[in-house]
């Protein structure tokens, strides 16, 4: 049971970190997003939780 809770907590932590990263990349100017290869299709992708 505790292993499952640990995996769920880790998944939420990864999802939270991913959302923060996406928000930071989306906040960059369009020119910089193009330079680093951050396209609109990547900005829409969301991490899928395993439950």
């Amino acid at each position: 049971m505790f292993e499952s809770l640990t995996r769920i907590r880790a998944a939420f932590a990864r999802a939270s970190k991913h959302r923060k990263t996406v928000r930071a990349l989306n906040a960059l100017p369009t020119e910089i997003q193009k330079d680093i290869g951050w396209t609109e299709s990547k900005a829409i992708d969301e991490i899928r939780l395993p439950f």
Side-chain angles (χ1 to χ4, degrees):
M1 179 176 158
F2 290 112
E3 290 178 24
S4 296
L5 292 175
T6 302
R7 282 195 301 260
I8 291 170
R9 183 178 180 276
F12 274 115
R14 281 192 309 273
S16 175
K17 187 174 182 179
H18 177 76
R19 282 191 302 272
K20 287 178 186 177
T21 301
V22 168
R23 271 188 260 137
L25 289 170
N26 288 338
L28 294 172
T30 307
E31 303 82 31
I32 294 176
Q33 288 180 6
K34 287 179 184 177
D35 287 345
I36 63 173
W38 185 252
T39 62
E40 192 170 320
S41 64
K42 289 182 183 176
I44 295 171
D45 289 343
E46 287 292 326
I47 191 169
R48 301 288 186 248
L49 295 175
F51 46 85

